[in-house]
Amino acid sequence: MAAPNLFEDLSKVEEYIAETYKNRSFIELIQNADDAEATSFGIHKTSFGFVVCNNGRPFNNSDLEAICRSGSSNKQRGVNTIGFRGIGFKSVVGLAKQIILLSGDYQICFDKVRSKQLLHIENTPVVRIPHITDILTTLYSEEISFLKQRYGYTTIFAFKDVDITVLNSEVSRFDYSCLLFLNHILNVNIQTEQKNSFIRLSRKVIDKNQIKICVTEYDNVIAEWLLLHSELNLKDIVAFKCENDSIIPAIGSESVMHSFMPSIEFTGAFLKINGDFSTDPSRKSIDLDTYSKTAIENCANIVAVLIKNVLLGKQDMRGLFLPFINTLTETKSAGGKLFISKIEDSLHVDNELNLNNLRLCPQWLPYEDYESLCFRNFGYLNKIFVTNYPESIIYLENFGIQSLSLKEILGLANTAVISKVGASQILSKVISQYYFDMTTENIDFIKSLKLFPVQFKSGLHKVTEFSKLTELDDKCLDFISNTNEKSDLASFFKKLDIELPQESTREATGGYTLENKKSAISSPPLNEQTLFIKAPQIQCWRSAEENLVEYLKCIQEVEQAIDVASANIGYDIEVLFTNGKRVFVEVKSVSFFGESFKITNNEYSTAHNYQDQYYLALVVNNADFQVMFIQNPISNLTLDKQCERWSWICNSMVNNIISTENFITNNTL
């Protein structure tokens, strides 16, 4: 033998490849099948081991030569194939001691033992020396013929003397998402002792750059994905997970970068991106070379254009912002960081969007007043948009967009139409900010503002148009008294030359005293009075969601409760507490506490992403309205998965439910 050391070296290379591609061998074979333009791929148990099959173009001389050499491939990067390294087939050598190829005119056996006998050396590679064989046609022809006839397979890899442990590990880790970015594969049939599954992909072309993929398992829908292709390179794709025509966040393990096959790198958002990325030899990690950076930038541009069009009202894509929220739960990769930063850079420099001029609504200001103040002055999100995209506020806050400031509000107060409720809230903020800094300049500025609702008069007025505090609108005076300390209130109005009431009770003066109503409310004798500002007005004809919103709005520590049930974003109510904390509540109507309930795939993904910020509210929606809460249901409940668009069933939760008091305490202390 001229070069025995060469074969020993090749054997070691094979062992390295097999270890590097551990639990990914089938993925590599699927990729090879896709490059052969196969539409069906199968893994089937047989009497002699198992077979891996496809119905693609049969092998030719060039294909056979490529699989027998390391780093050799008849495919090139950048053309309409996926693999180009020439090492994919070598990844299967850890599965069995003998591999037989049946394709077209070829009936080839790769056998380490026969190669040892032929070369007279101890350590030989498996997939290097092809041996002619007729063993399958003589002993196992019926099984092979059956598979060919039933499934139309044209290429079969038969594995003998199988390592069952390795095989089971490979099968159990199979993930359908490896199929999303392939060019041809539509069906995967797995029939082994470990797993029985038939996965089908159906593709619906929406336009030249959008494809909707529905993934089914035995005709049960398990996932839907919307794929958006870059106009610069059709291989650069962003994939959003969908449900009921709305985008939902993918779970963390799904949200990876694909170089056609999945890597292990988080994209930076709960979605997938695919591109002609360069990877390490295992194809698990992305190398940020010129190829990869270009692909990432193309994918980022897809998202940036989509966000821009949605913000400007040019396109409707419900749930768009959800994948970008609460991403700190995942470990950022260098590629993921670059992807997100490129999106942000594109949005920041877009002159048409002009995000520097966009303002969000302060949490304390009525939305109608925010719209009125911003109209013709700042960019703003109208109420219809926020109803359709409630998650957009969190996204834009994380993006760095500022809320309308008090200074900006006061600068616009005299030209905007502001409600009495809005004026009362603005006035309360003015008192808390200016009472200790009532310089001559600030006093003159406040006196110039039309910000004071006056009894028996329409509109808002300057402070110079009344002389007594008791002339203020009752509701306004009540609000600013509840939200400010007595001494601050007195100091503020005294410096504005407003006469303060002298009597100790409203009954004696027809007005209000400057008692600290905030403190008075905080310590009533009954527990319910401590919890609620007022009694909730529960109506039997209302939905559980509507009644719970009413219930929460009446709680002292709740600043805001917004019903977003119609938006299909994975929760029904967004709750903002007075301390600024925000939680997300999904309502489940039950007949009694302990009754089983279902969680949809959308709700499951959202709960997974928000974790402790996510609550289930179990509502008994009758005349004796009752509610209990479950925090972080994914961690705290035992859920059983069922295939009806993949619902999650909970049959036991008694030890995990908490009262309303505990729900408030958890989020305010």
Side-chain angles (χ1 to χ4, degrees):
M1 177 57 57
N5 290 339
L6 173 62
F7 285 101
E8 292 185 354
D9 290 343
L10 289 174
S11 179
K12 291 177 181 178
V13 170
E14 271 191 358
E15 291 172 3
Y16 170 76
I17 292 173
E19 182 62 29
T20 301
Y21 280 72
K22 189 175 182 180
N23 296 320
R24 295 170 67 87
S25 298
F26 288 153
I27 290 178
E28 294 298 322
L29 293 177
I30 288 174
Q31 173 191 288
N32 288 347
D34 191 74
D35 286 340
E37 301 181 2
T39 57
S40 294
F41 179 89
I43 303 170
H44 302 269
K45 183 181 180 300
T46 65
S47 61
F48 54 83
F50 73 97
V51 294
V52 175
C53 320
N54 70 72
N55 66 345
R57 173 183 52 79
F59 265 60
N60 56 33
N61 287 339
S62 179
D63 297 322
L64 182 61
E65 180 181 349
I67 68 170
C68 291
R69 296 174 59 192
S70 290
S72 173
S73 176
N74 57 357
K75 297 172 274 187
Q76 294 180 346
R77 187 171 190 170
V79 297
N80 196 35
T81 57
I82 296 172
F84 60 89
R85 291 179 174 85
I87 59 175
F89 180 64
K90 287 77 176 177
S91 66
V92 305
V93 298
L95 294 174
K97 295 179 180 179
Q98 189 180 83
I99 305 170
I100 298 167
L101 166 65
L102 299 171
S103 183
D105 296 329
Y106 291 102
Q107 186 168 296
I108 302 297
C109 176
F110 296 97
D111 188 332
K112 193 178 184 77
V113 174
R114 290 179 66 177
S115 295
K116 283 182 181 181
Q117 294 171 348
L118 177 67
L119 299 175
H120 304 292
I121 60 176
E122 181 60 30
N123 200 5
T124 61
V126 177
V127 185
R128 284 297 180 279
I129 303 173
H131 303 278
I132 297 175
T133 181
D134 61 359
I135 186 171
L136 289 180
T137 56
T138 56
L139 298 180
Y140 309 111
S141 58
E142 290 187 6
E143 287 181 89
I144 299 301
S145 297
F146 172 78
L147 291 171
K148 284 184 173 182
Q149 183 176 355
R150 180 168 182 178
Y151 300 109
Y153 295 139
T154 55
T155 296
I156 296 177
F157 293 96
F159 294 78
K160 292 189 64 183
D161 297 325
V162 176
D163 187 326
I164 296 298
T165 302
V166 176
L167 172 64
N168 289 342
S169 179
E170 288 272 354
V171 170
S172 65
R173 292 172 183 267
F174 176 78
D175 177 6
Y176 76 83
S177 69
C178 71
L179 309 173
L180 293 177
F181 304 109
L182 301 182
N183 296 316
H184 306 286
I185 296 290
L186 296 175
N187 306 303
V188 174
N189 192 355
I190 301 176
Q191 302 296 328
T192 69
E193 291 181 352
Q194 180 75 8
K195 186 172 186 174
N196 290 307
S197 178
F198 182 75
I199 303 291
R200 183 187 298 274
L201 274 67
S202 60
R203 291 183 170 93
K204 178 182 178 182
V205 177
I206 299 175
D207 58 37
K208 65 177 183 178
N209 293 320
Q210 292 189 45
I211 297 176
K212 190 75 169 287
I213 294 182
C214 180
V215 185
T216 60
E217 184 173 23
Y218 290 119
D219 296 327
N220 293 306
V221 176
I222 58 174
E224 293 176 339
W225 293 83
L226 177 65
L227 275 59
L228 287 80
H229 296 255
S230 169
E231 294 183 353
L232 299 176
N233 187 338
L234 292 178
K235 291 185 176 182
D236 299 333
I237 304 168
V238 176
F240 292 98
K241 198 172 187 179
C242 300
E243 189 173 278
N244 298 327
D245 296 322
S246 181
I247 291 172
I248 63 173
I251 61 176
S253 60
E254 295 174 323
S255 307
V256 295
M257 304 175 73
H258 285 237
S259 183
F260 304 98
M261 296 289 109
S263 72
I264 59 172
E265 294 203 11
F266 179 52
T267 60
F270 294 109
L271 48 72
K272 291 179 177 292
I273 62 174
N274 178 77
D276 191 11
F277 301 125
S278 299
T279 66
D280 68 347
S282 72
R283 303 183 69 179
K284 296 178 182 178
S285 299
I286 306 298
D287 292 333
L288 291 182
D289 63 1
T290 302
Y291 283 105
S292 297
K293 289 179 179 179
T294 299
I296 288 172
E297 190 164 353
N298 288 343
C299 290
N301 188 60
I302 294 171
V303 175
V305 170
L306 189 56
I307 290 175
K308 170 188 172 178
N309 288 341
V310 167
L311 286 172
L312 293 178
K314 296 180 179 181
Q315 195 169 352
D316 187 18
M317 191 71 72
R318 301 294 171 87
L320 170 63
F321 302 96
L322 283 171
F324 302 93
I325 295 172
N326 206 35
T327 58
L328 295 179
T329 57
E330 304 296 325
T331 301
K332 293 284 195 305
S333 65
K337 290 177 181 177
L338 181 61
F339 174 61
I340 297 300
S341 69
K342 288 294 184 181
I343 295 172
E344 294 177 351
D345 291 345
S346 296
L347 294 174
H348 271 306
V349 300
D350 193 291
N351 292 327
E352 183 182 8
L353 193 57
N354 193 11
L355 286 180
N356 291 329
N357 194 51
L358 178 64
R359 296 294 184 272
L360 302 177
C361 181
Q363 295 173 347
W364 49 269
L365 185 68
Y367 213 87
E368 293 77 5
D369 295 311
Y370 153 74
E371 291 180 290
S372 178
L373 286 160
C374 289
F375 184 66
R376 293 180 180 172
N377 298 296
F378 292 102
Y380 64 97
L381 307 179
N382 66 53
K383 195 169 186 178
I384 295 175
F385 179 88
V386 171
T387 300
N388 292 335
Y389 296 93
E391 72 283 357
S392 63
I393 296 174
I394 302 174
Y395 173 76
L396 291 169
E397 285 176 343
N398 294 340
F399 191 74
I401 303 302
Q402 300 296 311
S403 295
L404 196 63
S405 70
L406 181 60
K407 181 179 180 180
E408 291 168 336
I409 290 171
L410 297 180
L412 300 168
N414 287 357
T415 57
V417 178
I418 302 174
S419 69
K420 288 186 177 181
V421 173
S424 301
Q425 296 190 351
I426 295 169
L427 184 55
S428 177
K429 294 293 181 182
V430 170
I431 294 169
S432 64
Q433 181 162 321
Y434 284 92
Y435 80 89
F436 61 89
D437 191 25
M438 293 293 279
T439 63
T440 301
E441 182 181 358
N442 285 340
I443 290 172
D444 290 342
F445 173 63
I446 294 170
K447 285 184 175 181
S448 71
L449 298 175
K450 291 183 178 180
L451 199 57
F452 299 85
V454 178
Q455 289 191 57
F456 313 119
K457 292 184 180 181
S458 61
L460 302 176
H461 303 268
K462 295 181 179 180
V463 75
T464 54
E465 297 177 41
F466 64 98
S467 59
K468 297 180 180 181
L469 188 60
T470 53
E471 295 178 51
L472 273 184
D473 177 83
D474 282 356
K475 291 182 178 179
C476 174
L477 186 54
D478 188 41
F479 182 81
I480 62 176
S481 298
N482 281 334
T483 54
N484 292 275
E485 299 294 333
K486 173 182 176 181
S487 58
D488 301 342
L489 205 61
S491 174
F492 178 82
F493 280 105
K494 185 176 181 180
K495 291 184 179 181
L496 292 176
D497 300 322
I498 298 297
E499 182 181 333
L500 306 179
Q502 300 300 316
E503 301 294 333
S504 60
T505 64
R506 185 183 180 191
E507 289 76 14
T509 62
Y512 283 87
T513 65
L514 294 182
E515 64 183 356
N516 189 348
K517 295 190 177 184
K518 192 173 182 181
S519 298
I521 290 177
S522 66
S523 56
L526 296 177
N527 189 49
E528 283 195 353
Q529 292 175 332
T530 304
L531 187 62
F532 296 101
I533 296 174
K534 60 180 180 179
Q537 299 300 307
I538 303 299
Q539 303 291 339
C540 292
W541 48 267
R542 285 180 180 158
S543 68
E545 292 84 357
E546 291 171 325
N547 275 332
L548 184 57
V549 168
E550 166 66 18
Y551 182 90
L552 292 171
K553 283 182 176 179
C554 295
I555 294 174
Q556 278 200 83
E557 304 295 339
V558 173
E559 180 79 20
Q560 197 174 45
I562 304 174
D563 184 354
V564 294
S566 61
N568 189 35
I569 56 177
Y571 57 88
D572 296 318
I573 302 170
E574 186 173 326
V575 181
L576 176 68
F577 291 91
T578 53
N579 62 1
K581 185 171 182 180
R582 197 185 303 269
V583 299
F584 309 93
V585 180
E586 169 64 27
V587 178
K588 297 298 176 186
S589 184
V590 295
S591 301
F592 58 91
F593 299 129
E595 183 181 30
S596 63
F597 55 83
K598 296 180 181 179
I599 298 176
T600 67
N601 198 35
N602 184 12
E603 293 159 5
Y604 183 91
S605 296
T606 306
H608 179 276
N609 292 335
Y610 283 121
Q611 299 185 27
D612 284 342
Q613 284 182 273
Y614 193 95
Y615 285 82
L616 293 179
L618 307 182
V619 175
V620 180
N621 193 36
N622 54 30
D624 298 319
F625 180 87
Q626 299 177 71
V627 60
M628 299 291 278
F629 296 87
I630 301 173
Q631 185 179 19
N632 195 350
I634 305 304
S635 295
N636 293 325
L637 294 180
T638 299
L639 301 170
D640 297 319
K641 183 165 60 180
Q642 294 186 4
C643 278
E644 40 182 81
R645 298 188 67 85
W646 283 33
S647 295
W648 301 79
I649 312 298
C650 177
N651 295 307
S652 177
M653 77 296 294
V654 174
N655 295 328
N656 301 100
I657 57 177
I658 59 175
S659 65
T660 301
E661 288 84 354
N662 287 334
F663 170 70
I664 301 301
T665 300
N666 285 354
N667 293 289
T668 55
L669 293 183

